[in-house]
Amino acid sequence: MSVGVAAGQPLTDSAGPLLEVGGLQAEYGDIPVLWDLSLTVRAGEILALVGANGAGKTTLLRVLSGLLEGFLKVRRGTIRLRGQALKGLDPAEIVARGIAHVPEGRHLFPGLTVLENLKLGGYMRLARADRRASLEQVFETLPLLRDRWRQLAGTLSGGEQQLLAIGRALMQRPTLLMLDEPSLGLAPRLVAMVFELVGRIRAGGVTVLLVEQNVRQALALADRGYVLEAGRIVLEGRGGELLEHPKVKRAYLGL
Amino acid sequence: MNVALLLDVAAGGLLMGGLYALIAVGLNLQYGLMRVLNVAHGEFLMIGGYLTYMLHVHLGVNPLVSILVSGPVVFAGGMGIHALLFRGLLRLKRTQEELEANSLLISFGLLFILQNAALLLWSADIKGYQYLDRPLHVLGAVFPTNRVVAFGVAAMVTALLFVFLKGTLAGTTVRALMQDPVGARLMGVKVPRVHGLCFGLGVGLAAVTGSLVSMLFELTPFIGLPYTITALVVVILGGLGSVTGSLLGGLILGVLESLGVHFTAPDLRMVISYGVLALILVLRPYGLFNPLAPRPGQASQA
């Protein structure tokens, strides 16, 4: 299996990073969960963020989306999207700047139909014609959703719900798509389908930040990856390199 | 036992249930959406009632037409109150429980302020007027005309609300926010704005109910709280966050109350109401029609 860099996707910084996180420290109450975390996401790549449960992956995505509810606080650090500061903005403003987030647990609207869920994905796109075009595109990418458009989201299977969650995020026509554990709890056949979909989404010009516990498949698909442990980045590199790294092999691949 | 009489009693309950449904839908828009338990909800009903009373008695406005004033005025006032009292609370909340507790405190304060303001403005004297109180014969049964009209208006307003919730993007947004706030925020929904709108809408519906109630019963500044409690029972009966549930729950409670009172005594109306509440909490704590209730055999969302 070929790993790492996909054809025609040079790993250069010619256009500058799409997303730049510097020195980020976040806390739950008084307990730090992210320590001096810095990372970059380059335009057009698939970046994998791997690590054990509780390493802070989900927290990082929540911070990036501005979902600072409850006890989560950002202490220090910078977040820039194409050089523009994102820290302190609320989720609506961050969505408007082109970051879509498919959260852990999907957070679909179970009592709304598939179509209504998708329409809400296009909520920010006020032009009706725009929304229609987005919808058509999502249906083309995920024909299954077209077949199920009248069904309530809560009655879909787990895999279908995951596809709907991704489709709903695509309705936002994001520049950066953040996926939090899209393969969690899915049968192997569906896991393969989700990873294949992520590849297709990138091919369509969307940059992907992929958080996964399925380390092997995530790193195999990704251009680059970061390994997160206890709120710190402990390793970074090309996906293929990380797969071969002794530490990754030992800790995450059981080799 | 006389079946015709029973049907009569049930139909009378159904007419009252239409009003219960309307005020409960309004409460559900607040509590189901924001977990803001507005115990002053019934005060807005009282205010709606007095507005209609004033417009009718002093200016000769038809009570039904007065709804076009009481609804929008209280809607706007509600948006203002939300911005003033609840918006900061929603922003600062750390847990759902904290929000429920604090909103309860604030709305209790609001209840006393509104009640005492009404006492100052309109005094504690009982106020009322006669409107369409002649009997109406429907399919062999006899009802006061005003009750039938009030039910018809309540049904119309509810239908309009359904068109808004099911047929427009703004309404779909409200339902989405009820079902999954995190999901809605990630779609770019501006939550405080939708909350304000729904608070206004909720108390506006209470005011419309109040206008209708003023056609049927006399007004005092203290009529609000019993309606708040009834609305709360209906919301729990029908399911938190389910507008359809509140609608059907209101009708069901109206009929149950009417039949219960028929077989016991009018004094026991509240007892019956609480009995229904207790039963539903024991047997179906998610309510009768809650789409979010876990189904048997279905694992909770991973």
Side-chain angles (χ1 to χ4, degrees):
Chain A
M1 182 164 47
S2 78
V3 293
V5 190
Q9 294 285 334
L11 284 180
T12 55
D13 258 355
S14 58
L18 178 66
L19 183 79
E20 213 174 354
V21 177
L24 193 67
Q25 178 159 338
E27 301 175 353
Y28 261 112
D30 291 329
I31 304 158
V33 279
L34 298 175
W35 294 87
D36 192 25
L37 188 146
S38 300
L39 60 79
T40 54
V41 184
R42 298 165 186 167
E45 73 176 348
I46 296 179
L47 180 72
L49 194 62
V50 300
N53 247 337
K57 308 183 298 289
T58 295
T59 303
L60 175 64
L61 294 199
R62 289 175 63 96
V63 168
L64 293 179
S65 299
L67 278 179
L68 299 177
E69 259 193 339
F71 296 97
L72 180 59
K73 295 244 154 37
V74 176
R75 228 7 113 210
R76 273 196 294 279
T78 55
I79 305 167
R80 291 178 187 285
L81 183 72
R82 288 210 188 90
Q84 283 188 307
L86 288 188
K87 206 176 83 174
L89 297 184
D90 68 48
E93 291 168 298
I94 290 171
V95 169
R97 279 159 204 239
I99 297 185
H101 179 178
V102 179
E104 197 181 11
R106 303 172 195 123
H107 288 278
L108 291 170
F109 310 117
L112 301 190
T113 63
V114 167
L115 184 65
E116 286 172 327
N117 269 276
L118 290 173
K119 276 189 174 164
L120 280 163
Y123 177 79
M124 304 289 287
R125 319 189 71 77
L126 291 176
R128 187 177 281 228
D130 235 22
R131 279 209 299 271
R132 274 211 115 84
S134 281
L135 189 64
E136 202 43 50
Q137 212 174 350
V138 168
F139 278 156
E140 246 159 61
T141 313
L142 296 161
L144 178 127
L145 297 180
R146 194 199 298 270
D147 302 336
R148 300 280 165 93
W149 69 276
R150 300 177 78 156
Q151 208 172 321
L152 293 184
T155 65
L156 297 176
S157 74
E160 291 165 347
Q161 288 192 10
Q162 189 60 57
L163 297 182
L164 175 57
I166 296 173
R168 188 179 66 168
L170 289 177
M171 285 291 291
Q172 299 175 1
R173 297 223 187 148
T175 38
L176 174 63
L177 177 66
M178 306 196 297
L179 300 168
D180 197 350
E181 307 256 12
S183 75
L184 189 72
L186 300 188
R189 188 180 57 83
L190 286 166
V191 172
M193 196 172 156
V194 165
F195 278 101
E196 181 267 335
L197 174 63
V198 172
R200 269 195 288 150
I201 289 169
R202 189 266 294 274
V206 180
T207 306
V208 178
L209 173 54
L210 176 66
V211 162
E212 262 299 335
Q213 287 198 58
N214 197 333
V215 174
R216 190 191 305 270
Q217 274 175 289
L219 289 180
L221 177 69
D223 301 308
R224 292 191 309 123
Y226 289 92
V227 178
L228 203 60
E229 260 173 28
R232 291 183 173 88
I233 302 265
V234 293
L235 276 178
E236 69 167 292
R238 294 180 178 234
E241 287 167 9
L242 285 178
L243 267 178
E244 297 301 319
H245 196 283
K247 188 167 173 157
V248 174
K249 278 184 157 175
R250 198 173 54 244
Y252 300 105
L253 302 177
L255 297 174
Chain B
M1 193 176 295
N2 188 340
V3 177
L5 177 64
L6 269 189
L7 282 177
D8 238 34
V9 172
L14 200 65
L15 292 181
M16 205 52 213
L19 296 181
Y20 290 171
L22 194 54
I23 183 173
V25 166
L27 187 71
N28 209 346
L29 280 176
Q30 302 161 51
Y31 190 55
L33 186 64
M34 307 173 248
R35 292 296 180 277
V36 162
L37 185 47
N38 177 19
V39 286
H41 191 58
E43 305 332 297
F44 294 93
L45 175 144
M46 176 267 292
I47 290 170
Y50 273 108
L51 284 175
T52 290
Y53 169 83
M54 305 260 292
L55 286 168
H56 180 59
V57 172
H58 297 301
L59 300 174
V61 177
N62 181 309
L64 290 175
V65 175
S66 79
I67 289 171
L68 298 175
V69 178
S70 66
V73 164
V74 173
F75 169 74
M79 299 252 289
I81 286 173
H82 181 268
L84 202 66
L85 297 180
F86 293 105
R87 209 167 171 152
L89 212 60
L90 285 159
R91 199 177 50 237
L92 292 175
K93 70 150 180 187
R94 287 182 302 184
T95 63
Q96 214 63 260
E97 291 74 23
E98 195 179 274
L99 177 67
E100 277 195 47
N102 286 340
S103 67
L104 196 63
L105 279 177
I106 287 195
S107 61
F108 256 119
L110 188 61
L111 180 153
F112 291 123
I113 291 172
L114 293 176
Q115 228 174 53
N116 284 292
L119 268 171
L120 281 177
L121 275 172
W122 297 302
S123 85
D125 299 340
I126 293 172
K127 298 252 164 55
Y129 57 89
Q130 309 283 314
Y131 179 69
L132 291 179
D133 54 353
R134 51 187 184 275
L136 184 72
H137 297 265
V138 184
L139 301 171
V142 183
F143 301 104
T145 307
N146 51 20
R147 292 220 180 190
V148 178
V149 169
F151 180 83
V153 173
M156 251 167 52
V157 173
T158 313
L160 281 178
L161 184 73
F162 263 72
V163 169
F164 166 71
L165 286 175
K166 304 258 168 171
T168 69
L169 188 60
T172 309
T173 308
V174 170
R175 286 189 294 145
L177 196 54
M178 274 189 177
Q179 294 178 16
D180 198 308
V182 170
R185 293 177 74 192
L186 287 177
M187 296 304 106
V189 173
K190 294 196 175 66
V191 177
R193 200 182 288 177
V194 181
H195 278 170
L197 175 78
C198 284
F199 191 89
L201 212 53
V203 297
L205 289 173
V208 169
T209 317
S211 294
L212 296 173
V213 163
S214 79
M215 300 174 5
L216 314 178
F217 308 109
E218 281 148 336
L219 298 169
T220 76
F222 308 108
I223 60 166
L225 194 56
Y227 283 102
T228 304
I229 291 166
T230 301
L232 203 56
V233 172
V234 171
V235 166
I236 292 165
L237 179 67
L240 208 60
S242 165
V243 176
T244 316
S246 290
L247 180 63
L248 296 174
L251 298 177
I252 291 171
L253 187 70
V255 172
L256 287 179
E257 261 189 22
S258 182
L259 289 172
V261 165
H262 176 71
F263 288 114
T264 56
D267 297 345
L268 293 180
R269 203 177 62 84
M270 279 323 261
V271 177
I272 293 158
S273 209
Y274 285 126
V276 170
L277 175 65
L279 266 181
I280 204 75
L281 283 177
V282 171
L283 298 177
R284 275 188 74 113
Y286 280 90
L288 294 178
F289 309 99
N290 195 336
L292 305 182
R295 291 180 181 80
Q298 182 195 31
S300 65
Q301 207 185 25

